[in-house]
Amino acid sequence: MTANDYGFDTLAIHAGQDPDPRTGAVVPPIYQTSTYAQDAVGAPRLGYEYSRSGNPTRDALQECLAAIEGGRRGLAFASGLAAEDTLLRAVCRPGDHVVIPGDAYGGTYRLFAKVAENWGLSWTAVPLDDLDQVRAAFRPGVTKMIWAETPTNPLLNIADIAALAGLAHEYDALLVVDNTFASPYLQQPLALGADVVVHSTTKYLGGHSDVVGGALIAASDDLGDQLAFHQNAMGAVNGPFDAWLTLRGVKTLGVRMERHCDNAERIVGYLREHKAVSEVLYPGLESHPGHEVAAKQMQRFGGMVSFRATGGMEKAVDICNRTKLFVLAESLGGIESLIEHPGQMTHLSAAGSALEVPADLVRLSVGIETVDDLLADLEQALG
């Protein structure tokens, strides 16, 4: 099933999910097994021999992910960072160089700075919305990849995917896009020229804060085969039940994202008028420096909102501690609304570095609750 033949919601519900041929079960079964009986030596049944290498439940998820991102091959992992690590070691070698966002997700920064760098991979962080700075950071023959997030976490900056793809390919490098914040429903990086899409499926794809996972979707068969080899060789796959939970979440991604966006837009309008807020960061605002690019490459502007508190870090922390419906927790993209202080939570690993986030920053993951209740909660928390 492809986007040429079906709409997004149809793909999310049906791609890779034909009724079980033996029983007719409409929902793909959970194949909770580690190994498989073989018909003869060297003749595994339907190609399945060991669940690290292949599992029917995971395969259903992988096929669905490839379909909704418009890719040639999807691969599921135990976490988003497991997917990122597998990708880096599959396509890079010690001595290579990568350009990353100047405000990358804290876990991604930690992976580059504390793990990949020790392996011999160098990196340069630049604002990816400035193509001149991106070009200046390139080391011809050495830079193998631009690693993009758009919108970024947590500053919600926007990168021009098509422009970055053109620049990367000019130097025979890959463009990797972390599409976690936008989700495949709102943004399709492969159609804009990206080579690989990365997801923390824990977030919007799973959507219910009950499963951890990651994914890679490749634009080409050759790259997909290369990543699949490393997925098996490195072994950081998700289990069948985790794959099943994620696949269940994907089915409702489209309808959930519409509500996330509706609620976020209402909350942005409220925050912009509140005296306790000095700045609202949301690409849907015409005043956002990346608004025009976001409007060009996104269907809507998402459910993530960040703002800076008047009164500095003390006020930002106080707001986080005072909410009742907005749960103080890390992660994002679930049906329930979350609030966090990035500087001391998700982005603590970047403290003291060039990627350190502002101390007065608060990040909201706007859920799908009744929006008037969310607004009332913010009203009492902001004071």
Side-chain angles (χ1 to χ4, degrees), residues 227-274:
L227 296 174
F229 172 84
H230 283 79
Q231 179 197 41
N232 180 50
M234 295 171 67
V237 297
N238 60 356
F241 186 53
D242 288 351
W244 186 88
L245 284 171
T246 305
L247 193 59
R248 182 194 62 171
V250 169
K251 291 174 184 288
T252 60
L253 178 62
V255 292
R256 285 188 286 107
M257 291 310 300
E258 290 292 343
R259 175 63 75 86
H260 285 299
C261 292
D262 288 345
N263 284 359
E265 290 169 4
R266 287 280 305 278
I267 285 170
V268 165
Y270 165 79
L271 292 173
R272 292 186 73 198
E273 303 299 324
H274 202 287

Side-chain angles (χ1 to χ4, degrees), residues 330-356:
E330 298 189 359
S331 197
L332 58 102
I335 54 175
E336 62 286 302
S337 294
L338 304 178
I339 190 170
E340 68 134 356
H341 184 257
Q344 296 185 68
M345 296 173 69
T346 53
H347 290 68
L348 181 61
S349 60
S353 77
L355 282 75
E356 184 174 33

Side-chain angles (χ1 to χ4, degrees), residues 69 84 99-105 108 126-131 146-165 175-190 192-194 196-200 204 257 282-284 288-304 332:
E69 278 286 10
E84 293 186 14
V99 177
I100 71 170
D103 57 338
Y105 162 57
T108 298
V126 299
L128 295 188
D129 57 355
D130 187 331
L131 291 179
I146 299 175
W147 187 286
E149 296 175 21
T150 184
T152 58
N153 179 6
L155 297 179
L156 295 162
N157 287 317
I158 300 296
D160 188 325
I161 296 172
L164 288 176
L175 174 63
V176 174
V177 177
D178 184 336
N179 203 28
T180 298
F181 260 35
S183 86
Y185 181 73
L186 298 181
Q187 184 169 266
Q188 299 275 313
L190 298 182
L192 296 169
V196 184
V197 166
V198 176
H199 280 283
S200 169
Y204 285 111
M257 291 310 300
Y282 187 67
H288 189 288
H291 174 73
E292 289 188 9
V293 174
K296 177 180 67 175
Q297 66 190 21
M298 298 178 73
Q299 179 173 306
R300 294 185 69 181
F301 301 105
M304 299 302 299
L332 58 102

